[in-house]
Amino acid sequence: MAANNLRHALFCAIVTLIISFPILGLNLEAKGINITLTGAKTSTYVAIVLAAVVVFVFQIFRDSFMGVLGKLPNLNPLAGREPMEQSKRVKLESWILTGIVIFALFWPFLVSRGSVDLATLVLIYIMLALGLNVVVGLAGLLDLGYVAFYAVGAYTFALLSQYTGISFWMALPIGALLAGLTGMILGFPVLRLRGDYLAIVTLGFGEIIRILLNNWTTLTGGPNGIGGIPDPTLFGMEFGRRVKEEGNTSFHETFGIAYASEHKIIFLYLIALVLAVITALIIRRFMRMPVGRAWEALREDEIAARSLGLSRTAVKLSAFTIGAFFAGFAGTVFASKQGFISPESFVFLESAIILAIVVLGGMGSQLGVILAAIAVTILPELAREFSEYRMLIFGAAMVLMMVWRPQGLLPMRRIHIKLNRQE
Amino acid sequence: MSMLVLENVHTHYGKIEALHGVSVEVNRGEIVSLIGANGAGKTTLLMTVCGTPQASSGRIILQGRDITHEPTAQIMRSGLAIVPEGRRIFSGLTVEENLHMGGFFNTKSEIRKSQAHVYELFPRLKERENQRAGTMSGGEQQMLAIGRALMSRPNMMILDEPSLGLAPLVIKQIFEIIGQLRDEGITVFLVEQNAHQALNLADRGYVLETGKIRLHDTGKNLLENPDVQNAYLGG
Ligand SMILES: Nc1ncnc2c1ncn2[C@@H]1O[C@H](COP(=O)(O)OP(=O)(O)OP(=O)(O)O)[C@@H](O)[C@H]1O
Ligand SMILES: [Mg+2]
């Protein structure tokens, strides 16, 4: 047993050496047209050896370490109770959510401009993740091309504003509906596929949409993107220093206050907040409706669900369409926030991050998804110095999650529906 | 008056033919049992009635309507319910939610009524109303599967080996319930390995062998048939 452990630890340490030596210890340098191989600083070699030692020690004590990790106090106060208390838990979750929203309302008046801007981004990710949560978490359809619908929403607004001068408020429903429609059209042929196959095909669709945007230069401007996307207005009041659109007034003049560039950012944040709350409420509503249970039933046992008369295509398509709809919602807000969009913003990594949020959040639980969205967007910003290691930290976090909370931060507690017996 | 008629039904899985021209008739208010060895095609026959897989030739008529080419979703909303092989309850949902899924296309008041009825048949389910279905015992899960099928208020119920893996006492209870269903006017088409009890309960029975009907007779006659006794009743 102990000898076995020792051998294993030695092996791991050697692998660490083999992997890190060429990557960190050798540098390729371009000298003129030639490339030369040079060694690294001595400190790097020391670090490599130290890393191997750490790996060795960790592997030796791995069992006890993992044991400790497994016994970490459960930080989730709601975990591990049985369904009888479910109604209580749902109530608690609602209270926490309400608390977060109230706090979020005051947030922009307490912090700097940059923080508000970042918070807007968080809200956009929350909308995206809540939407994807319907598809992946509830309906169990692994969609790796979700960003495509986000792009449809954003480009709908960008293009319509460029060609017809449409306002944000008009574009919002149109963008969401178009994204939903795209979801329905794409979903129809692919939803008969299962699991891995569905994942691959949706991944392909996501890329196709991005490549289309990139290459259809006459319409979309290709890689140059589209700029000049208007900001949202408040009842015809603009937030810029000067009024751009005829017939509009300016916010600061109407209220007789000095112009401040923060107004616009705070306003956008508040819009995103309201839309995120609306998204959460609508999806919550769906979860309580029969269609929400149908998503889960189909995910749990497709044959059983079909034997009860549910149509596989209809149920899956509804989840796919609703998810896409909210991605379009988020896309419109994103376009307005940035003022400029290009296909760069809709790469696969984006889909992966949204999916990571859903998985980290616990597949299905709204509060979990919201917390995960906050964590995934904010942590890299807090650790700006480590930005090169962002993906590394991300990966480490994922591995830790798998060990510590394999079901996500807050595994989904299903909303329990009871018929009212009195009526 | 026929509830369900299969006329010379052939069913294929890809190129392999699993049913080679099966004809079965179930009359209104009857219990009809189908027995046969493992792999004879019993489940295939039931699933063909439900439309997955669809019959490659022949006709299936449910309550006078030709359903041969109808999609599963439509067939299963036409007064037919199935208790599938291996129960297939939704293990992550609670007992009550499982039942509600069964009444998916019914109104709230209908659901309430059928739910009360199911709890009357299976008081055990009432006790476990809020329990996650996957955490229940095999017998309880089978009761739930039957209860869920009853929720849509079917005229006809198909059961695929409801006694599989259950203790004798529970099997007895399940068979009693099936008899009770007939008394309520539900037509029952029952597939069983447990040939003795199935034929005892049935008005009529069919014997399926490698995709073909070998015998059909009243339940009583089949029980006394020496071939059946040899092959299915342990000699
Ligand atoms: N999905 C499938 N694809 C291919 N062949 C199948 C499929 N399902 C069943 N078969 C084949 O069809 C034949 C009949 O199977 P079926 O499940 O109907 O038997 P059964 O009588 O229900 O058996 P058991 O008593 O074991 O449940 C078997 O040879 C089986 O291998
Ligand atoms: Mg079978």
Side-chain angles (χ1 to χ4, degrees):
Chain A
M1 175 63 207
N4 222 340
N5 230 342
L6 196 69
R7 215 178 316 148
H8 177 74
L10 254 176
F11 176 74
C12 289
I14 291 172
V15 169
T16 311
L17 282 177
I18 293 177
I19 292 176
S20 47
F21 180 72
I23 294 178
L24 297 170
L26 299 173
N27 290 330
L28 288 175
E29 267 171 38
K31 284 207 176 126
I33 53 165
N34 295 319
I35 296 175
T36 56
L37 198 63
T38 56
K41 278 182 275 176
T42 329
S43 60
T44 310
Y45 293 118
V46 174
I48 291 174
V49 173
L50 269 180
V53 171
V54 168
V55 167
F56 180 76
V57 172
F58 171 76
Q59 287 299 335
I60 287 209
F61 297 106
R62 190 175 63 152
D63 289 343
S64 37
F65 182 71
M66 287 307 197
V68 171
L69 204 61
K71 276 188 222 111
L72 269 190
N74 213 333
L75 295 183
N76 171 10
L78 315 170
R81 297 197 201 156
E82 268 310 297
M84 268 315 284
E85 293 171 55
Q86 209 165 25
S87 56
K88 234 195 242 167
R89 283 197 253 149
V90 170
K91 238 182 229 155
L92 185 58
E93 183 172 318
S94 303
W95 278 115
I96 296 175
L97 280 174
T98 318
I100 292 179
V101 171
I102 290 172
F103 176 73
L105 269 176
F106 291 105
W107 174 256
F109 306 102
L110 304 172
V111 296
S112 73
R113 201 185 133 139
S115 308
V116 179
D117 212 33
L118 180 63
T120 311
L121 194 66
V122 171
L123 288 168
I124 291 175
Y125 274 107
I126 288 178
M127 279 185 248
L128 285 168
L130 286 174
L132 185 63
N133 191 30
V134 170
V135 183
V136 179
L138 295 175
L141 306 166
L142 187 49
D143 179 359
L144 293 182
Y146 190 62
V147 76
F149 309 120
Y150 185 38
V152 168
Y155 267 88
T156 302
F157 182 25
L159 289 170
L160 282 178
S161 79
Q162 192 173 35
Y163 291 107
T164 70
I166 197 173
S167 76
F168 172 80
W169 295 109
M170 283 295 293
L172 190 64
I174 298 178
L177 284 175
L178 264 184
L181 192 69
T182 316
M184 197 185 267
I185 293 168
L186 292 190
F188 211 77
V190 306
L191 284 179
R192 35 188 81 237
L193 299 173
R194 253 168 256 236
D196 329 358
Y197 300 103
L198 179 70
I200 291 167
V201 173
T202 50
L203 176 79
F205 268 127
E207 285 299 281
I208 288 172
I209 297 240
R210 186 181 62 80
I211 292 168
L212 194 73
L213 293 172
N214 221 344
N215 290 296
W216 196 350
T217 11
T218 45
L219 182 72
T220 66
N224 296 333
I226 302 175
I229 303 167
D231 300 319
T233 53
L234 177 66
F235 301 114
M237 289 181 282
E238 286 187 12
F239 284 83
R241 192 184 285 281
R242 293 207 181 74
V243 176
K244 286 183 191 151
E245 190 94 349
E246 241 172 88
N248 281 350
T249 53
S250 96
F251 176 77
H252 63 99
E253 279 169 12
T254 310
F255 284 88
I257 47 177
Y259 168 77
S261 58
E262 280 94 57
H263 292 167
K264 184 179 97 186
I265 289 167
I266 292 178
F267 180 55
L268 200 73
Y269 167 84
L270 291 176
I271 288 179
L273 179 62
V274 169
L275 292 180
V277 169
I278 290 176
T279 304
L281 289 179
I282 293 180
I283 289 178
R284 221 176 163 69
R285 183 85 214 137
F286 272 124
M287 284 161 77
R288 286 165 198 263
M289 286 188 349
V291 67
R293 263 177 298 143
W295 292 334
E296 287 182 60
L298 203 72
R299 181 195 64 203
E300 289 230 331
D301 194 322
E302 192 168 308
I303 291 180
R306 293 181 61 211
S307 85
L308 299 174
L310 296 174
S311 151
R312 179 174 49 185
T313 325
V315 174
K316 285 187 178 177
L317 208 55
S318 63
F320 214 65
T321 308
I322 287 168
F325 179 91
F326 287 108
F329 228 53
T332 316
V333 179
F334 178 72
S336 189
K337 170 181 176 297
Q338 300 296 86
F340 164 85
I341 54 166
S342 74
E344 281 280 285
S345 309
F346 307 104
V347 292
F348 168 68
L349 186 64
E350 216 54 30
S351 289
I353 289 178
I354 305 164
L355 185 63
I357 292 174
V358 173
V359 173
L360 283 175
M363 299 271 260
S365 124
Q366 284 199 325
L367 182 58
V369 164
I370 289 168
L371 294 179
I374 296 172
V376 168
T377 338
I378 288 187
L379 285 184
E381 296 292 328
L382 291 182
R384 263 269 162 80
E385 311 85 276
F386 306 115
S387 65
E388 289 166 47
Y389 300 106
R390 178 175 159 171
M391 276 310 167
L392 198 67
I393 295 173
F394 215 60
M398 280 284 193
V399 171
L400 276 181
M401 283 290 295
M402 273 181 249
V403 175
W404 177 50
R405 293 196 69 86
Q407 293 155 313
L409 279 178
L410 289 178
M412 171 153 112
R413 284 174 316 288
R414 307 195 25 281
I415 298 172
H416 184 168
I417 305 101
K418 252 190 185 297
L419 278 183
N420 191 349
R421 252 161 259 275
Q422 285 85 271
E423 36 166 320
Chain B
M1 177 58 187
S2 309
M3 188 71 179
L4 175 74
V5 182
L6 283 85
E7 284 174 16
N8 197 25
V9 168
H10 293 254
T11 300
H12 288 80
Y13 289 114
K15 284 204 174 114
I16 302 163
E17 189 174 81
L19 295 184
H20 318 291
V22 170
S23 298
V24 169
E25 186 168 359
V26 181
N27 295 317
R28 240 173 243 277
E30 273 187 325
I31 294 182
V32 173
S33 290
L34 178 71
I35 59 173
N38 290 117
K42 304 181 296 296
T43 300
T44 306
L45 196 160
L46 299 188
M47 295 302 279
T48 306
V49 172
C50 298
T52 312
Q54 280 202 337
S56 30
S57 65
R59 289 210 309 160
I60 304 174
I61 292 159
L62 177 69
Q63 305 192 72
R65 192 172 95 214
D66 188 338
I67 57 163
T68 322
H69 303 292
E70 282 185 12
T72 301
Q74 198 175 333
I75 297 172
M76 301 317 292
R77 291 182 217 169
S78 324
L80 176 69
I82 185 170
V83 179
E85 186 169 32
R87 306 172 196 127
R88 289 188 174 273
I89 50 152
F90 304 115
S91 47
L93 310 200
T94 64
V95 168
E96 189 178 34
E97 286 165 341
N98 265 277
L99 293 180
H100 289 179
M101 283 308 300
F104 196 82
F105 297 98
N106 298 68
T107 63
K108 277 194 178 181
S109 68
E110 282 172 331
I111 290 181
R112 213 165 294 124
K113 246 187 260 163
S114 358
Q115 189 176 346
H117 179 54
V118 169
Y119 285 158
E120 226 170 87
L121 286 177
F122 302 108
R124 198 58 163 273
L125 293 183
K126 166 88 186 144
E127 290 163 29
R128 319 227 147 211
E129 195 170 36
N130 293 315
Q131 188 171 334
R132 260 168 24 97
T135 61
M136 295 201 303
S137 79
E140 289 162 348
Q141 291 188 14
Q142 189 64 60
M143 293 174 195
L144 179 58
I146 296 175
R148 185 180 65 183
L150 278 174
M151 287 297 290
S152 65
R153 327 195 118 214
N155 301 322
M156 173 163 191
M157 184 125 128
I158 292 179
L159 297 102
D160 196 347
E161 304 204 28
S163 73
L164 194 70
L166 301 185
L169 211 66
V170 184
I171 295 181
K172 187 164 164 277
Q173 196 185 348
I174 299 262
F175 273 96
E176 276 169 17
I177 294 284
I178 294 172
Q180 213 166 321
L181 295 183
R182 170 182 45 194
D183 301 341
E184 288 174 14
I186 298 177
T187 308
V188 176
F189 189 26
L190 173 69
V191 159
E192 260 304 334
Q193 294 278 351
N194 211 322
H196 189 81
Q197 295 188 55
L199 291 175
N200 229 336
L201 181 70
D203 298 303
R204 293 186 305 113
Y206 287 81
V207 179
L208 190 69
E209 256 171 40
T210 54
K212 279 199 188 105
I213 298 290
R214 277 285 166 240
L215 281 169
H216 100 256
D217 209 330
T218 61
K220 193 151 162 281
N221 286 350
L222 284 177
L223 274 176
E224 284 159 7
N225 183 316
D227 290 343
V228 174
Q229 285 181 345
N230 268 332
Y232 304 104
L233 300 171

